[in-house]
Amino acid sequence: MNLYEDWILPSLLDIVMRNKEVTRYRSALVPEACGVVLEVGIGSGLNLPFYGPQVQRLYAIDPSENLLRMARKRARSVSFPVEFFARSGEAIPMEDNSVDTVLTTFTLCTIADPLAALREMRRVLRPAGRLLFAEHGFAPDPSVQRWQHRCNPLWNRVAGGCNLNRQMDTLISSAGFHIAELTANYAKGPRPLSYIYAGSARP
């Protein structure tokens, strides 16, 4: 057992991911989810308060049992059923074309094989479904990119496998999605950490 990754890091992530900038993205994106929803990387459940009444059911995936424990507590306050899976996004235990919305927020940076996970998300989405995403990633400015590359090896070790230098729009398109809406800009915070890709895509 890794004491830091299994016990200390989940609590740190829960605290850090409650910051105002991240919450601003959650509050804008999550209410768009509707129907049967799959959230990949639910973490400690910080998106749960932002889901609207149009959600029928939520399936929630995360590999961390300790983060899921926090999410289960938060799920007691929602009005729709939630089913949790202690799994990574590369192997989603759901049938093809079975969900209306896939949501991923600040998750693709940590998945070991994000392209495989995105292909799984596309597989389970219905043809008229949507992928909603808000992810930090590779910045457009060369000076920031250099810092992202320099810092990434250490950051990856201390931040639970998080990567600073993934170009999220390219990853999403490479998985076969058609990006319908995209905003990409710096949020408040250190620039190597705060270039955010947010939007929606169709399978």
Side-chain angles (χ1 to χ4, degrees):
M1 178 182 290
N2 185 316
L3 177 64
Y4 174 73
E5 289 188 358
D6 292 341
W7 295 98
I8 298 172
L9 184 60
S11 295
L12 287 175
L13 288 173
D14 179 59
I15 293 167
V16 170
M17 297 306 289
R18 283 188 249 162
N19 77 72
K20 289 182 179 179
E21 277 296 272
V22 173
T23 301
R24 179 169 67 87
Y25 281 95
R26 296 186 197 281
S27 65
L29 184 72
V30 179
E32 295 187 31
C34 63
V36 178
V37 180
L38 167 66
E39 183 173 345
V40 178
I42 192 170
S44 61
L46 295 174
N47 284 330
L48 286 166
F50 299 105
Y51 282 110
Q54 66 274 27
V55 174
Q56 299 169 8
R57 173 179 290 272
L58 175 65
Y59 295 97
I61 291 179
D62 201 279
S64 169
E65 290 282 7
N66 284 319
L67 285 171
L68 286 179
R69 190 174 297 114
M70 299 179 207
R72 286 188 180 97
K73 291 180 181 177
R74 290 190 167 109
R76 294 171 189 165
S77 63
V78 301
S79 59
F80 47 83
V82 184
E83 186 172 352
F84 294 93
F85 300 96
R87 299 284 290 271
S88 180
E90 294 100 332
I92 296 172
M94 299 181 69
E95 295 181 0
D96 296 359
N97 307 318
S98 58
V99 301
D100 301 296
T101 308
V102 174
L103 175 76
T104 172
T105 59
F106 308 99
T107 295
L108 292 173
C109 59
T110 61
I111 295 176
D113 189 341
L115 190 56
L118 283 161
R119 286 173 176 154
E120 278 287 272
M121 296 178 210
R122 184 168 176 265
R123 176 184 66 79
V124 302
L125 263 176
R126 293 180 176 131
R130 284 204 303 168
L131 169 69
L132 303 175
F133 59 90
E135 300 285 347
H136 77 95
F138 203 44
D141 301 293
S143 60
V144 180
Q145 291 174 357
R146 286 193 290 271
W147 277 107
Q148 288 178 314
H149 286 313
R150 284 190 199 112
C151 296
N152 200 65
L154 177 60
W155 181 257
N156 184 273
R157 288 195 295 272
V158 301
C162 177
N163 291 273
L164 301 173
N165 54 2
R166 289 179 174 173
Q167 190 152 349
M168 296 302 179
D169 55 345
T170 300
L171 273 173
I172 291 167
S173 296
S174 296
F177 282 100
H178 303 283
I179 294 178
E181 302 170 281
L182 176 66
T183 60
N185 47 45
Y186 291 102
K188 294 178 183 177
R191 287 201 155 197
L193 302 174
S194 63
Y195 192 75
I196 310 296
Y197 299 77
S200 66
R202 299 283 185 180

